[in-house]
Amino acid sequence: SWMFVGQDGKITGTPMKTDLGPFVATFSVSDGQAEAQTTGKGTVVHKNHPPTIAADMPVFEIKERSTRAEDLKKWVKDSDGDVLHFVLESTSDFVKLADDGTLTMEPKFKHIGDHTLNFKVNDAEIAIHGQIKIKVIRDPRPPVWLTDPIRFEGKTNEAFVNSVAGEARDLDGLRIT
């Protein structure tokens, strides 16, 4: 038996996994002259453990204008096997985190750089907090010509001067030369 009662009436003990479920205990009290007994009923329940986040959760790298999905359950575990629920606590216009742990990233040019987002995961009893690190990488696109072909006319015996400056545009809004 895992339960002990001291002379002061204090009940102590540590139930093990094999003790899970209902139990009945008999208690006796004495005044030195006579003894009385009663029963006690209780239940040993499983102790819930919090989810854990692996220390090796990577920095997720993604190119701008692409889509990437990851299952965070690869790095977040629950030793009790409880169902996990995820919530993105940071605001982001290119990252979504579904309740089931599916992380979806769809960055644009403006998102190039490093991002750290906070999230919460719980097993319906205990919540823990973590961070998602994302690196959005530039995926350069070449400038485009607005006119193709560009037409010129030159005159004989006259210096030719013209410009193509307004004939091209960078799709990412970068300065072109």
Side-chain angles (χ1 to χ4, degrees):
S1 175
W2 60 269
M3 184 183 297
F4 303 96
V5 181
Q7 287 190 4
D8 62 356
K10 185 175 181 181
I11 302 170
T12 60
T14 304
M16 306 307 276
K17 283 186 179 181
T18 55
D19 297 311
L20 283 171
F23 67 86
V24 176
T26 302
F27 300 100
S28 298
V29 65
S30 172
D31 62 6
Q33 302 278 324
E35 185 177 289
Q37 289 190 339
T38 190
T39 57
K41 294 181 180 184
T43 304
V44 175
V45 296
H46 176 72
K47 177 184 175 184
N48 188 44
H49 299 89
T52 57
I53 302 170
D56 66 346
M57 186 157 72
V59 174
F60 299 105
E61 289 192 359
I62 181 171
K63 290 182 178 180
E64 61 171 321
R65 297 181 324 279
S66 63
T67 300
R68 179 176 176 184
E70 289 286 346
D71 184 357
L72 291 188
K73 290 189 298 291
K74 293 178 190 173
W75 299 278
V76 180
K77 304 289 182 192
D78 187 87
S79 62
D80 306 314
D82 296 331
V83 174
L84 298 174
H85 302 278
F86 293 78
V87 175
L88 189 62
E89 295 183 304
S90 298
T91 303
S92 173
D93 63 347
F94 78 96
V95 176
K96 292 180 182 148
L97 181 58
D99 181 71
D100 70 355
T102 302
L103 175 71
T104 306
M105 301 162 279
E106 297 181 274
K108 300 196 179 345
F109 176 77
K110 69 180 181 176
H111 301 116
I112 291 172
D114 297 323
H115 304 268
T116 300
L117 303 171
N118 297 317
F119 75 99
K120 175 174 71 173
V121 59
N122 74 70
D123 65 0
E125 288 187 41
I126 303 173
I128 62 168
H129 301 269
Q131 291 187 326
I132 300 165
K133 295 185 183 283
I134 301 169
K135 181 179 189 88
V136 179
I137 301 167
R138 174 132 162 70
D139 188 15
R141 296 183 286 183
V144 294
W145 289 104
L146 301 174
T147 307
D148 186 19
I150 300 172
R151 304 220 181 260
F152 299 102
E153 185 175 291
K155 295 185 180 176
T156 58
N157 298 320
E158 212 175 280
F160 178 82
V161 177
N162 211 318
S163 174
V164 293
E167 302 296 330
R169 182 174 74 102
D170 186 80
L171 297 174
D172 297 322
L174 298 175
R175 184 177 164 273
I176 56 175
T177 57

